[in-house]
Amino acid sequence: MAFFHNHLFFQLAIIVSLVHFTMAARQVSKSSQDDQNMVFQYHNGPLLSGKISINLIWYGKFSTSERAIIADFITSLSTTSPSTNEPSVATWWKGTEKYYHLLKSKKSSPLILSLGTQILDEGYSLGKSLTRKQIQELAAKGEQKNAINIVLTASDVAVEGFGSSTCGTHGSMLNSKITPPKGKIYKYAYIWVGNSATQCPGQCAWPFYKPQYGPQTPPLLAPNNNLGLDGMVINLGTLLAGTVTNPFGDGYFQGPASEPLEAASACTGIYGTGAYPGYPGSLLVDPTTGASYNAYGTNGKKYLLPAFIDPSTSSCSTLV
């Protein structure tokens, strides 16, 4: 494991990425001396626990192989069906367990994630230009009980703020589906991630594309040979970590609640040992394809995943 000091997080967050992981849309925050003094904190709210289904809502056209990249990533999170190779996606995901272990006074069921249903909206039912409210409308199409509903928009779909201020968001909503007379009103979590291959790869698919800002280092080859989808995995992994550890805005985060840095977004741009602004760190390289990655998944997939912040030390921890 490699560990890095806090000030590097904020430099990287500004220079190499516009990915934002908040409960609502926001602009890029500016780094300052105050940022460097912030401590990663728990804000007394619940974390996600128990058996949670991850439902995928595909908006726009995705090929079968593209959908498999995301679906296999979700399946790879489970320790019940891990990759036979290490470092694995399941090992990466176990980094979130540190957040639960710190809550010694809280009794809750272990978090168990599984791939749920997949909904295809290839006909662009809401058009090709979406607002944040429409993203929530799409997210509500998935099952809402004990679920995280993930909206994935295709490369030809413009979403409010996409590329200019955000690459994806997460949040929560009250259940909207019909319940029995004594049915309970509850919150469920949702995520949205866009495919940036043609709109803003320099912001949302780095290090697989030359960054729009900062050091102009050569881009890496994507592990699944798909810049857009491999970039989506990075953003999805970051958002998913933020979702389970800060699902309702009062869990684990660093900084102001309006612009929180969460489990993985606090380590933006850090993927391997020795990372610094413009350099993702030392990674594994496929000897045949030359693609860079740091985690093995199921069905022979390889992925590049962000570092997690260790909540006990407020420092970033990488797989390689």
Side-chain angles (χ1 to χ4, degrees):
M1 294 295 202
F3 297 90
F4 302 87
H5 293 295
N6 242 14
H7 69 275
L8 183 57
F9 310 159
F10 300 96
Q11 294 171 353
L12 285 162
I14 292 166
I15 294 175
V16 301
S17 178
L18 288 179
V19 184
H20 302 299
F21 312 97
T22 66
M23 309 309 287
R26 66 175 174 87
Q27 297 298 314
V28 183
S29 60
K30 296 293 187 291
S31 179
S32 67
Q33 185 62 39
D34 290 340
D35 288 337
Q36 299 175 23
N37 297 325
M38 284 192 281
V39 177
F40 208 74
Q41 296 178 334
Y42 173 56
H43 296 79
N44 302 314
L47 311 188
L48 290 190
S49 62
K51 295 182 178 180
I52 303 290
S53 295
I54 297 180
N55 304 309
L56 305 178
I57 297 97
W58 299 92
Y59 190 81
K61 297 190 182 301
F62 291 88
S63 68
T64 300
S65 61
E66 287 178 328
R67 293 197 297 270
I69 291 172
I70 300 293
D72 285 344
F73 168 65
I74 299 299
T75 302
S76 299
L77 295 169
S78 172
T79 55
T80 60
S81 56
S83 165
T84 57
N85 297 314
E86 290 289 345
S88 68
V89 173
T91 298
W92 170 80
W93 185 248
K94 283 178 70 68
T96 61
E97 293 180 2
K98 293 182 179 180
Y99 295 80
Y100 292 82
H101 292 162
L102 288 178
L103 305 183
K104 295 179 181 179
S105 62
K106 305 287 184 179
K107 292 185 178 180
S108 61
S109 302
L111 176 65
I112 302 174
L113 299 180
S114 63
L115 180 62
T117 59
Q118 299 191 54
I119 299 172
L120 305 185
D121 188 341
E122 296 181 311
Y124 305 88
S125 62
L126 300 179
K128 292 189 176 183
S129 182
L130 304 179
T131 64
R132 297 296 178 83
K133 185 175 181 180
Q134 287 175 313
I135 291 293
Q136 293 180 333
E137 182 180 339
L138 290 170
K141 291 185 176 184
E143 292 298 320
Q144 298 172 1
K145 185 68 173 178
N146 299 322
I148 301 173
N149 291 340
I150 299 176
V151 178
L152 301 138
T153 51
S155 60
D156 58 349
V157 177
V159 178
E160 180 183 353
F162 183 41
S164 61
S165 65
T166 186
C167 302
T169 56
H170 80 82
S172 63
M173 296 186 289
L174 294 175
N175 63 304
S176 59
K177 298 198 171 181
I178 298 174
T179 58
K182 295 183 180 180
K184 183 180 179 181
I185 300 299
Y186 54 86
K187 287 183 179 180
Y188 67 96
Y190 75 90
I191 293 172
W192 158 68
V193 179
N195 183 334
S196 65
T198 59
Q199 296 185 55
C200 47
Q203 292 115 317
C204 300
W206 185 86
F208 303 130
Y209 194 88
K210 186 174 67 174
Q212 183 165 339
Y213 306 103
Q216 298 298 296
T217 53
L220 305 179
L221 295 179
N224 295 291
N225 195 33
N226 191 310
L227 178 153
L229 269 293
D230 281 303
M232 291 181 84
V233 168
I234 292 175
N235 299 329
L236 176 55
T238 307
L239 287 163
L240 194 58
T243 296
V244 302
T245 59
N246 186 32
F248 309 120
D250 52 7
Y252 281 99
F253 62 87
Q254 178 172 291
S258 59
E259 296 184 348
L261 290 173
E262 298 173 330
S265 63
C267 299
T268 297
I270 298 176
Y271 302 98
T273 304
Y276 55 80
Y279 173 60
S282 180
L283 303 172
L284 302 175
V285 177
D286 188 300
T288 302
T289 66
S292 296
Y293 63 99
N294 61 6
Y296 293 93
T298 59
N299 294 323
K301 297 290 195 306
K302 298 180 179 70
Y303 298 102
L304 184 64
L305 302 173
F308 280 137
I309 195 167
D310 185 327
S312 63
T313 63
S314 294
S315 61
C316 286
S317 176
T318 64
L319 273 175
V320 295

